[in-house]
Amino acid sequence: SSFLVPFGCPPRPTPSPALARDTAAAMADKASYPIEGPEELMCKKAHGTCPNPVQTDLKWGCSRETADKICAFNRHYAEHSGYWETTKFLTEVDRTQPTTFYDSVTGKPLFRAPVGRSFDAFVKESRAHGWPSFRDEEVIWDDVRCLKNGEAVSLDGTHLGHNLPDGSGNRYCINLVSVAGAPTEGSKM
């Protein structure tokens, strides 16, 4: 089943000094994106692959039920293509400055867009692919990793989407329900 997490994982992944070192090295060398994370990030936790259920009031009218399934009990599937356009995202987002996208479970900042392109270019690319699409410079690497299979995840075990590179480089197709959280104390950017 797509909602099963791997067996044999430790009860809770422990961040290692090597993970911090790899993050710092990759951030200094753009060519090393995406930053690869270990499969253990997605081990079973208190709520699927996450420490908690998703937040109660997600931004842009995103469905909490869909978010909880996608974020915490899923490794391969996604919200349906174009879902993000059925939400209030396009009418509520500030088109004049970058938006920070927060983890729907933890409230940690994960993406900030658009960076290095216009809002219209961000929307055009996202529409073409069916999901909000982020580039390397729009990922907040402090809390995002990609597994060997391209799955994009948070360090806390939230399934975000997948890296599907194209001719312009890495392209992170991300479920809006996974990044519709509100910032928690100390995490607002």
Side-chain angles (χ1 to χ4, degrees):
S1 167
S2 64
F3 295 109
L4 296 178
V5 294
F7 291 99
C9 293
R12 184 93 203 224
T14 306
S16 67
L19 187 60
R21 186 179 58 252
D22 293 347
T23 299
M27 291 172 82
D29 178 17
K30 184 179 176 179
S32 52
Y33 290 133
I35 300 175
E36 189 176 301
E39 180 65 32
E40 289 76 27
L41 290 172
M42 299 305 284
C43 287
K44 184 167 178 42
K45 298 179 189 71
H47 190 76
T49 60
C50 297
N52 305 301
V54 297
Q55 297 174 355
T56 357
D57 295 315
L58 297 177
K59 292 181 184 177
W60 310 303
C62 288
S63 162
R64 184 170 191 255
E65 179 182 353
T66 300
D68 203 46
K69 287 178 185 173
I70 297 292
C71 293
F73 297 99
N74 166 59
R75 298 294 309 278
H76 306 288
Y77 297 103
E79 65 198 18
H80 65 81
S81 177
Y83 171 84
W84 70 280
E85 291 187 84
T86 70
T87 69
K88 298 175 188 172
F89 175 78
L90 289 171
T91 58
E92 292 182 357
V93 72
D94 184 344
R95 296 167 179 256
T96 64
Q97 59 186 0
T99 296
T100 301
F101 296 80
Y102 295 90
D103 189 316
S104 293
V105 175
T106 66
K108 292 178 181 176
L110 302 177
F111 298 91
R112 186 165 171 79
V115 173
R117 58 181 168 166
S118 69
F119 180 79
D120 289 340
F122 170 76
V123 170
K124 181 179 180 183
E125 181 174 50
S126 297
R127 280 187 170 139
H129 299 291
W131 289 268
S133 295
F134 300 91
R135 296 296 176 164
D136 288 332
E137 58 274 11
E138 297 170 323
V139 181
I140 300 172
W141 291 105
D142 291 344
D143 281 296
V144 176
R145 295 293 181 275
C146 283
L147 306 183
K148 285 186 186 298
N149 66 358
E151 182 182 6
V153 303
S154 78
L155 288 182
D156 291 297
T158 305
H159 171 81
L160 304 173
H162 288 85
N163 178 22
L164 303 170
D166 62 13
S168 299
N170 292 312
R171 179 173 48 85
Y172 307 93
C173 291
I174 303 299
N175 296 291
L176 188 65
V177 295
S178 298
V179 293
T184 53
E185 189 175 321
S187 70
K188 187 164 182 153
M189 293 190 81

